[in-house]
Amino acid sequence: MKTYKKVPLPFIGQKRNFLKHFIPVLQQNIPNNGAGWTIVDVFGGSGLLAHIAKRTLPQARVIYNDFDNYAQRLHHNAATERLRQKCQAMVSERKNQRLTPATQSRLIAEIETFNGFVDVQTLASWFLFSGKQAKDWTDLKSKTWWNGIAQSPYAEADDYLDGLEIRQQCFTELLPEFAGQPNTLLLLDPPYVSTAQGAYANEQYFGMVQFLQLADKMKPPFVFFSSTKSELPAYVDYVCREQVGNWQVWEGCQKVAIKARLNYNAAYEDNMVWRFD
């Protein structure tokens, strides 16, 4: 099966920069190509973690919780490519240049009369300044647009989700089914607390209360992704030092950190934390 090292369609928060760390962690801790193991991508997002887990450990059962309905976007990949070509032909501004009001108005008219599926998240990646998000079409068309239209065509990616078991459940329903079960790895990449979540299916889906629910119910083995923007490292240091809450799950964790950048003047640190024993 083909292995994708980046997502076929744009998604805020995809973890492709962690793959060189994530793959060895899987290989070093799960034997026999994953035979007898279940891997649950609890906050599935773009499905990249689930996809890589299945390609790395093909004998494992891999569950992708497609809460944000990324599979639907992939299903309409051909329509998104048709719309990309139409929009590209209408824009004369240079790459990364702000669009004139006239160009933006023409594009909005074209999109609203387009005969096919309209993928708002992909459109936001074309027309909003780096790192900006839109919660829906009404929100997107009210913003200032820039020329960030993808230059390369979107290829068919029907095989991207091959081999995955797809669910669509809130993590509060999915986690109790699998947490603490033998040979079950939890992949935990929740929306970052206290950050913009407008690109997700439910922008109120994950706040501080939800994070505390997750922290209380999770058990090793797990791989957890987070960021200094949501203060996970500080939280882990605190609960282990004070021995409060479900602190034992964090004891002895390993961590790797990478620098990430939203745009030319906004950077932060992303973290991958894992524990298997």
Side-chain angles (χ1 to χ4, degrees), residues 2-259:
K2 178 181 177 180
T3 298
Y4 292 77
K5 292 301 180 69
K6 63 178 183 179
V7 295
L9 289 171
F11 191 90
I12 295 292
Q14 61 161 307
K15 290 297 175 288
R16 66 176 182 174
N17 292 332
F18 272 111
L19 296 186
K20 65 181 180 181
H21 305 290
F22 178 58
I23 292 171
V25 166
L26 294 178
Q27 294 171 329
Q28 292 163 13
N29 290 280
I30 298 181
N32 303 321
N33 288 324
W37 276 76
T38 297
I39 300 174
V40 187
D41 191 353
V42 178
F43 301 89
S46 68
L48 185 61
L49 294 177
H51 170 85
I52 291 296
K54 185 63 177 178
R55 298 304 186 269
T56 305
L57 302 170
Q59 298 303 312
R61 176 193 182 194
V62 180
I63 296 169
Y64 164 45
N65 189 25
D66 185 19
F67 190 81
D68 294 287
N69 215 0
Y70 192 77
Q72 181 191 42
R73 295 175 59 200
L74 282 181
H75 180 71
H76 294 283
N77 214 10
T80 299
E81 172 56 20
R82 281 197 296 114
L83 185 55
R84 186 194 69 84
Q85 293 178 21
K86 288 177 176 288
C87 291
Q88 191 175 51
M90 297 175 64
V91 172
S92 58
E93 289 85 350
R94 297 190 306 274
K95 184 72 173 177
N96 298 324
Q97 183 179 8
R98 181 174 174 174
L99 301 182
T100 66
T103 299
Q104 181 169 337
S105 294
R106 289 195 298 271
L107 286 166
I108 289 172
E110 178 67 35
I111 293 165
E112 291 187 329
T113 58
F114 179 67
N115 182 25
F117 180 80
V118 175
D119 182 348
V120 173
Q121 281 197 40
T122 296
L123 293 180
S125 75
W126 296 348
F127 297 126
L128 297 187
F129 198 72
S130 179
K132 301 294 184 180
Q133 302 177 26
K135 62 182 179 181
D136 53 31
W137 170 242
T138 300
D139 184 35
L140 174 59
K141 69 180 181 178
S142 70
K143 297 179 181 294
T144 299
W145 286 15
W146 302 71
N147 179 14
I149 300 173
Q151 300 299 298
S152 300
Y154 291 115
E156 293 293 337
D158 294 339
D159 56 345
Y160 177 68
L161 300 179
D162 282 359
L164 305 182
E165 180 180 326
I166 299 178
R167 302 277 191 97
Q168 283 189 313
Q169 296 174 265
C170 180
F171 79 96
T172 56
E173 300 171 357
L174 190 64
L175 200 60
E177 183 179 347
F178 294 101
Q181 295 301 309
N183 293 343
T184 299
L185 172 65
L186 303 177
L187 303 181
L188 302 168
D189 182 24
Y192 294 160
V193 177
S194 301
T195 62
Q197 296 178 22
Y200 293 88
N202 181 347
E203 61 181 307
Q204 302 301 321
Y205 172 50
F206 202 82
M208 181 57 69
V209 171
Q210 287 76 18
F211 171 79
L212 293 174
Q213 286 180 300
L214 171 62
D216 185 56
K217 301 297 184 184
M218 59 185 281
K219 297 178 182 179
F222 62 80
V223 181
F224 197 113
F225 296 86
S226 194
S227 159
T228 50
K229 293 191 298 181
S230 59
E231 300 187 83
L232 177 72
Y235 169 81
V236 172
D237 289 344
Y238 165 72
V239 297
C240 289
R241 182 176 65 252
E242 302 296 331
Q243 297 188 357
V244 296
N246 192 21
W247 67 272
Q248 297 93 337
V249 303
W250 303 105
E251 193 174 32
C253 285
Q254 296 177 267
K255 185 186 87 168
V256 64
I258 62 174
K259 296 295 182 181

